[in-house]
Amino acid sequence: MEEELKCPVCGALFREPIILPCSHNVCLPCARTIAVQTPDNEQHLPPPLLLPRGPDPDPAATGGAGASGGAVGGAAAGGGDHADKLSLHSETDSGYGSYTPSLKSPNGVRVLPTVPAPPGSSAAAARGATCSTLAACSSSSITCPQCHRSASLDHRGLRGFQRNRLLEAIVQRFQQGRGPAPGASAAPAVAVCQLCDRTPPEPAAALCEQCDVLYCAACQLKCHPSRGPFAKHHLVQPPPPPAPPEPAPVAPGASGGCKSPGAAGSGAARKFPTCPEHDLENYSMYCASCRSPVCYVCLEDGRHAQHEVKPLGAAWKQHKAQLSQALNGVSDKAKEAKEFLVQLKNILQQIQENGLDYEACLVAQCDALVDALTRQKAKLLTKVTKEREHKLKMVWDQINHCTLKLRQSTGLMEYCLEVIKENDPSGFLQISDALIKRVQVSQEQWVKGALEPKVSAEFDLTLDSEPLLQAIHQLDFLQMKCRVPPAPLLQLEKCCTRNNSVTLAWRTPPFTPSPADGYVLELDDGDGGQFREVYVGKETLCTIDGLHFNSTYNARVKAFNSSGVGPYSKTVVLQTSDVAWFTFDPNSGHRDIILSNDNQTATCSSYDDRVVLGTAAFSKGVHYWELHVDRYDNHPDPAFGVARASVAKDMMLGKDDKAWAMYVDNNRSWFMHCNSHTNRTEGGVCKGATVGVLLDLNKHTLTFFINGQQQGPTAFSHVDGVFMPALSLNRNVQVTLHTGLEVPTNLGRPKLTGN
């Protein structure tokens, strides 16, 4: 509540708050700093933006309405010192006060800097009476620091605004309940002057009841002389400073929480407010037009003669009741806000818990990846070991084989050399053939490739780890990317049916991290068949027309985004109307057709037959409607029936292949389709007759009735497809459509047809 008790200009608790015309409050000392004097050619807000305060009272009677109004306004009206007519903070007496933004005003209102007046001038004397306010002339204004609306000051100056004594009392109770701030100095023992330039101010010697300003003796002589407009002001002794609140004595056995009604009040009794226009009169009535309390003298002088006036107590109770009612709405919103804060705190706790869970899950997943990589590393190392052992075995086998062959060849060579050294020809020839063969065989053992290594020293194993490294670098949370949206929530309170159309509404669940790019609405065929898409788009409200009457449809919706399609919502069941309610369609009729009675009555402006269709379309079920003949002149031939949407509109119904009709005059009727006339039946229509049309799409038949009797046999069979009610007539006929009818069970037998 403390923010409500702070002045928007100085930021401190209100001191002598006044009510501006815009209903905002401001301290009286702060109001003196933000009031400015504007040139005569500057326009202020028009009067409707300001609260009316009635006609200006006589300056002589209200010369003491306020400090500024009394000192300056009175001097200006009474022709006093010329300096008193000038702007208090004038620049070469131009009458226009300069202003600079105040460091204490965050709202950027215009504030006049304090400019010392020349010593000894009348303006200096007026400065004490007005403190920091301007001369209250017609060109002075004040700008609200909150809504920035400007209000012109009358001759009373700031004292023309009502003082908010209720707010002042609340501030006083708040200060007493809060107690002095730690380290704050104690309240002054006596009241001090409010206009002293000395530090500290001198003790107050008098209080002006009209100005509501405390003066010391010196300031009273200088700023509030007992002459001129101040002669009628009443000076009294300054009130004693408010005593600190003392706890009320509690009787033995009484509850410690109960206090007397006056225990919470201030030490001094609150001053009962009096009328600023009539000092000795208390407020007794409330003017609803001016929105201000008034006294009986204000009512007698005639200024509120044409206004709505109520007793002060009754208006007080009424406004209290209105405020209480308004507070109920604020209380509900505050309760919702508290629940929302609880929800947010629960979300904080859930975030903490989910964060720990996700951290544990992340560690487990990364550990699993490390374990899998370690196992794969062991497998790869095993492969490398096997390959190395295989290569070593192959090389050692080749070394052993080659060593054996080399030893054999070397031994044979040495033996042959020894044989060659012998000089015995006969002995040499005995073994030479065998040695030659052995040498040749030994040479053949060193075939091509025998002296080449069977294996390479290089390993033909290449580990492609780049995809795995890329996968590791791209490893990320799915939560950080877009996921498929959740299932939408159907808003059942907005889902409805009308005739053969259904309307569905849905919304995205709250706190959805994955937004939806669009929605897919699916509907079955009304017989429990397969679902089919009937709408794809971004809207969350869709109406589907052209459904079957008296059918039950199941509907569901799903959302999609760039990541895919989300799950389906719950299925909602919708029932279309049992009977059809429709009118003539002004968009489908010929331009000569004239519709009235909410498009239920039709006639024509042409002597030629013109066609108009109904707003409903039928493809299933049994439907019945009637047409009442309101006017029938000169024996015309109106035609009644059904048609396709593309039927010709400038000829009689039934002359093309898009319509099935019965045309009738005052004596007989015919059925007609593709310009073929069949089944002439006696009995026609006249004014007041009723023609009934029965379309049975379950049996695929079309039957007509006149005045409750079937007209001829079943008019058409094998009727299949989508049909719309249709009518053709000219200017001699006027009919009215009646729909929403149950299929009658008491229709008469068919009349016999003629030749």
Side-chain angles (χ1 to χ4, degrees):
M1 184 181 70
E2 184 174 358
E3 294 299 324
E4 295 288 334
L5 306 180
K6 288 184 178 180
C7 174
V9 177
C10 63
L13 295 178
F14 280 107
R15 297 172 298 161
E16 304 177 70
I18 60 174
I19 306 175
L20 298 180
C22 56
S23 299
H24 292 130
N25 298 283
V26 68
C27 295
L28 179 59
C30 297
R32 292 170 180 146
T33 63
I34 64 175
V36 297
Q37 187 175 7
T38 56
D40 294 336
N41 57 0
E42 182 176 336
Q43 296 182 358
H44 303 289
L45 289 178
L49 294 179
L50 305 178
L51 293 178
R53 293 196 293 269
D56 293 340
D58 183 14
T62 59
S68 62
V72 184
D81 192 354
H82 176 70
D84 291 340
K85 300 179 182 179
L86 301 179
S87 170
L88 182 60
H89 306 292
S90 63
E91 296 177 352
T92 64
D93 294 335
S94 63
Y96 185 82
S98 63
Y99 59 90
T100 56
S102 172
L103 296 179
K104 294 184 180 180
S105 175
N107 296 287
V109 298
R110 300 188 292 185
V111 179
L112 284 173
T114 303
V115 179
S121 64
S122 58
R127 175 183 174 186
T130 60
C131 189
S132 326
T133 191
L134 289 174
C137 57
S138 59
S139 60
S140 297
S141 65
I142 183 172
T143 301
C144 175
Q146 290 183 282
C147 64
H148 302 286
R149 293 185 180 180
S150 297
S152 298
L153 303 181
D154 57 14
H155 68 280
R156 298 173 294 175
L158 295 175
R159 293 299 172 182
F161 298 128
Q162 296 180 6
R163 186 165 173 178
N164 196 337
R165 300 183 181 275
L166 191 65
L167 177 59
E168 192 172 0
I170 295 175
V171 170
Q172 186 176 7
R173 289 202 305 268
F174 177 77
Q175 289 177 327
Q176 293 174 353
R178 186 175 58 177
S185 59
V190 294
V192 296
C193 178
Q194 295 178 304
L195 299 179
C196 269
D197 294 333
R198 304 178 184 87
T199 303
E202 292 291 331
L207 169 66
C208 178
E209 289 188 340
Q210 283 71 31
C211 300
D212 201 11
V213 176
L214 292 169
Y215 300 94
C216 64
C219 291
Q220 177 188 349
L221 295 176
K222 181 175 64 175
C223 303
H224 199 284
S226 299
R227 63 179 182 274
F230 295 116
K232 296 183 179 182
H233 286 204
H234 188 207
L235 298 177
V236 296
Q237 290 295 325
E246 298 180 0
V250 180
S255 174
C258 298
K259 298 181 180 180
S260 62
S266 60
R270 185 188 305 177
K271 182 180 177 181
F272 197 80
T274 58
C275 178
E277 307 292 342
H278 311 94
D279 301 337
L280 303 180
E281 293 293 335
N282 294 331
Y283 289 126
S284 58
M285 303 296 289
Y286 178 78
C287 179
S289 302
C290 300
R291 291 190 287 180
S292 173
V294 295
C295 66
Y296 278 111
V297 180
C298 294
L299 298 179
E300 291 176 355
D301 62 12
R303 72 179 69 181
H304 302 280
Q306 303 299 327
H307 295 177
E308 181 184 358
V309 180
K310 300 179 181 179
L312 188 63
W316 175 50
K317 292 181 180 179
Q318 179 184 0
H319 285 217
K320 271 196 172 183
Q322 293 176 356
L323 180 59
S324 300
Q325 185 176 2
L327 283 177
N328 290 335
V330 178
S331 176
D332 294 339
K333 293 298 180 181
K335 185 182 299 182
E336 294 178 4
K338 289 182 180 179
E339 295 175 354
F340 180 65
L341 288 175
V342 172
Q343 183 180 4
L344 291 179
K345 291 180 180 179
N346 293 335
I347 292 176
L348 284 176
Q349 184 177 359
Q350 292 177 2
I351 290 174
Q352 294 287 348
E353 296 175 356
N354 293 340
L356 296 176
D357 293 341
Y358 271 99
E359 288 178 1
C361 181
L362 174 63
V363 172
Q365 288 178 334
C366 291
D367 291 343
L369 291 177
V370 172
D371 293 342
L373 188 60
T374 303
R375 290 193 298 270
Q376 192 65 22
K377 172 186 173 182
K379 291 181 181 179
L380 295 177
L381 288 176
T382 302
K383 286 185 178 181
V384 173
T385 302
K386 289 182 179 180
E387 183 69 16
R388 182 188 62 186
E389 292 177 353
H390 173 70
K391 286 181 176 290
L392 292 175
K393 183 177 181 301
M394 292 293 294
V395 172
W396 278 114
D397 289 346
Q398 195 172 7
I399 289 174
N400 294 332
H401 180 72
C402 185
T403 301
L404 178 62
K405 292 295 184 183
L406 179 61
R407 186 170 60 249
Q408 292 176 354
S409 298
T410 303
L412 181 60
M413 289 174 55
E414 292 177 354
Y415 175 70
C416 290
L417 289 175
E418 293 296 330
V419 171
I420 291 174
K421 291 180 181 179
E422 294 294 331
N423 295 325
D424 185 1
S426 58
F428 178 81
L429 293 175
Q430 287 180 347
I431 63 174
S432 60
D433 293 335
L435 288 176
I436 292 172
K437 290 181 180 180
R438 287 180 62 187
V439 171
Q440 290 177 351
V441 170
S442 178
Q443 184 179 1
E444 290 176 357
Q445 288 180 355
W446 302 98
V447 294
K448 184 178 181 181
L451 299 179
E452 295 179 358
K454 294 183 178 181
V455 294
S456 173
E458 301 295 333
F459 282 79
D460 297 333
L461 300 176
T462 302
L463 181 62
D464 187 11
S465 61
E466 187 64 27
L468 180 59
L469 290 176
Q470 292 182 359
I472 292 176
H473 291 311
Q474 295 176 357
L475 186 63
D476 204 344
F477 294 105
L478 290 178
Q479 291 88 336
M480 297 178 63
K481 301 179 181 179
C482 186
R483 295 187 297 178
V484 295
L489 299 178
L490 288 170
Q491 295 181 280
L492 300 180
E493 68 276 6
K494 296 183 179 180
C495 298
C496 61
T497 61
R498 185 178 183 276
N499 267 349
N500 62 336
S501 65
V502 297
T503 299
L504 294 107
W506 59 89
R507 63 180 177 87
T508 303
F511 307 110
T512 300
S514 302
D517 295 338
Y519 303 92
V520 178
L521 176 62
E522 296 183 357
L523 203 70
D524 66 357
D525 58 358
D527 286 331
Q530 296 294 326
F531 282 90
R532 65 188 189 279
E533 293 184 0
V534 294
Y535 171 76
V536 178
K538 297 182 178 181
E539 299 296 330
T540 58
L541 182 70
C542 181
T543 299
I544 303 99
D545 299 319
L547 303 177
H548 300 307
F549 286 90
N550 195 19
S551 299
T552 301
Y553 288 89
N554 296 302
R556 63 186 183 183
V557 65
K558 60 183 178 180
F560 64 87
N561 57 16
S562 57
S563 297
V565 181
Y568 284 103
S569 67
K570 294 182 178 180
T571 302
V572 61
V573 181
L574 300 167
Q575 174 74 36
T576 54
S577 301
D578 295 339
V579 295
W581 297 84
F582 59 91
T583 62
F584 291 119
D585 187 2
N587 299 319
S588 67
H590 192 274
R591 61 178 179 272
D592 293 337
I593 294 292
I594 302 173
L595 300 180
S596 60
N597 189 22
D598 294 332
N599 296 331
Q600 292 179 337
T601 300
T603 185
C604 183
S605 61
S606 173
Y607 285 105
D608 297 324
D609 291 308
R610 304 302 188 206
V611 174
V612 62
L613 303 178
T615 56
F618 307 114
S619 59
K620 178 185 175 183
V622 182
H623 309 281
Y624 178 77
W625 63 94
E626 293 180 347
L627 299 106
H628 184 268
V629 180
D630 302 327
R631 180 169 52 83
Y632 188 82
D633 303 328
N634 301 325
H635 311 299
D637 298 327
F640 311 88
V642 296
R644 309 286 190 192
S646 58
V647 66
K649 309 293 195 318
D650 56 352
M651 63 179 66
M652 179 181 287
L653 194 68
K655 285 194 173 184
D656 60 359
D657 61 344
K658 302 294 192 301
W660 293 257
M662 176 190 73
Y663 72 94
V664 59
D665 58 14
N666 60 330
N667 290 322
R668 60 190 65 85
S669 65
W670 292 263
F671 302 145
M672 185 165 61
H673 174 63
C674 294
N675 205 22
S676 173
H677 308 254
T678 59
N679 297 98
R680 188 187 74 179
T681 305
E682 296 298 326
V685 297
C686 61
K687 180 179 178 180
T690 299
V691 178
V693 181
L694 177 61
L695 177 62
D696 190 345
L697 291 175
N698 295 336
K699 298 180 179 179
H700 305 285
T701 60
L702 179 63
T703 309
F704 297 96
F705 301 86
I706 296 180
N707 295 329
Q709 298 292 327
Q710 183 174 337
Q711 186 72 3
T714 299
F716 300 100
S717 301
H718 308 292
V719 178
D720 194 10
V722 180
F723 301 95
M724 305 177 71
L727 166 71
S728 69
L729 72 171
N730 60 17
R731 66 181 302 168
N732 293 320
V733 183
Q734 175 177 309
V735 298
T736 297
L737 178 65
H738 297 278
T739 62
L741 305 177
E742 297 284 349
V743 178
T745 57
N746 56 349
L747 295 174
R749 291 184 177 181
K751 296 181 180 179
L752 298 177
T753 60
N755 294 329

